[in-house]
Amino acid sequence: MASYAVCCRFLAFICLHFLVFVCVSEGAAELKHKHKHRQDGGYRPGPVQATEIDLLEFPLNLEYLEAEFFLFGAFGYGLDQVAPELVSGGPPPTGAVKAHLDPLVQDVIKQFAYQEVGHLRAIKATVKGFPRPHLDLSAQQFAKVFDTAFHTKLNPPFDPYANSVNYLLASYVIPYVGLTGYVGANAHLRSKTAKRLLAGLLGVESGQDAVIRTLLYRIKDEKVAPYKYTVAEFTDRLSTLRNQLGYTRTVDEGLVVKKSLGAEGMVEGNILAGDKYSVAYGRNPAQILRIVYSSGNESIPGGIFPHGGGGNIAKGFLSPLTPHRDLID
């Protein structure tokens, strides 16, 4: 009987280890299968609905602008040297030069520049897109924007390429307009691909804006040499101008606001702009064009886009045969 009991225990031991082996093997195989098909979390271009194409192409206007401004600011050359296949035969920008930047800002703008190249690739891998529009990135053009913001001719004329502070203030003009456009477009997209693309672009554009605002916030009370205005005053004037050009209520805010406009009505510091819920503001294409054209009218090109933007939405506002309408509420 004793030998029988020993034999039974031995068989039980063998069966138990066999079951453990089988379970572990199956688990390992399943885990290997999951790893094989695991996605990296990055964006994968795919099909979008026909009604989404124009909405996804329109941001190329701002992405071309940002890519060229940041590339020239950091390196002294633009897309024609870095990624000529992305310009689709569009004319080169005029007036852009390498900015005189300190090492920190130089490093930041260099990263921004390549990020914008990636944004162009992502959009053009999803929709056909359009050629780069003509961009006027000259110091004279930026000087006009700043003169308008202050209702006077600054002396000397504002030069965005002169130093790091000036360049950051000029940069303050750009990514925020794009991110509000992405917020505004969000509700009008339906496909998974379009929503994923927009969310990814919005995330990085918002990050760029946050970095610019943070760098400026550190020196918000300092005067912008040789002018009598502080950094905070510059941002406030620029934000007010964008609100006026876009014909919106408060969609744009400087680095310092009335306490009633701050987060929860508790602070004057405004390192990130947001509504009463601290949620990002949105703009529609017409409002964006009014701002970048510096005309306050989506049908009158000018400013950074002397001949108007590209794509069906921007061109639709220029065509007398197409009803002018805000395509996004």
Side-chain angles (χ1 to χ4, degrees), residues 150 152-156 220-234 237:
F150 281 92
T152 187
K153 281 189 173 293
L154 296 178
N155 186 26
K220 63 182 174 61
D221 297 320
E222 296 182 14
K223 296 285 181 65
V224 178
Y227 312 109
K228 61 181 180 180
Y229 309 104
T230 66
V231 168
E233 287 175 301
F234 265 82
R237 295 296 187 101

Side-chain angles (χ1 to χ4, degrees), residues 263-284:
E264 290 297 297
M266 298 298 292
V267 291
E268 295 179 345
N270 198 42
I271 201 165
L272 295 178
D275 64 14
K276 65 180 181 180
Y277 301 110
S278 291
V279 173
Y281 294 106
R283 284 189 174 99
N284 63 45

Side-chain angles (χ1 to χ4, degrees), residues 11 40 47-48 77 80 98 102 127 133 136 149 162 181 191 201 206 209 215-216 236 255 285 289 312 314 323:
L11 288 173
D40 61 7
V48 298
Y77 50 81
D80 289 311
K98 188 178 187 306
D102 63 54
V127 292
D136 182 356
S191 71
L201 293 169
S206 299
D209 182 64
L215 291 172
L216 290 172
D236 181 64
L255 295 176
L289 293 173
N312 290 333

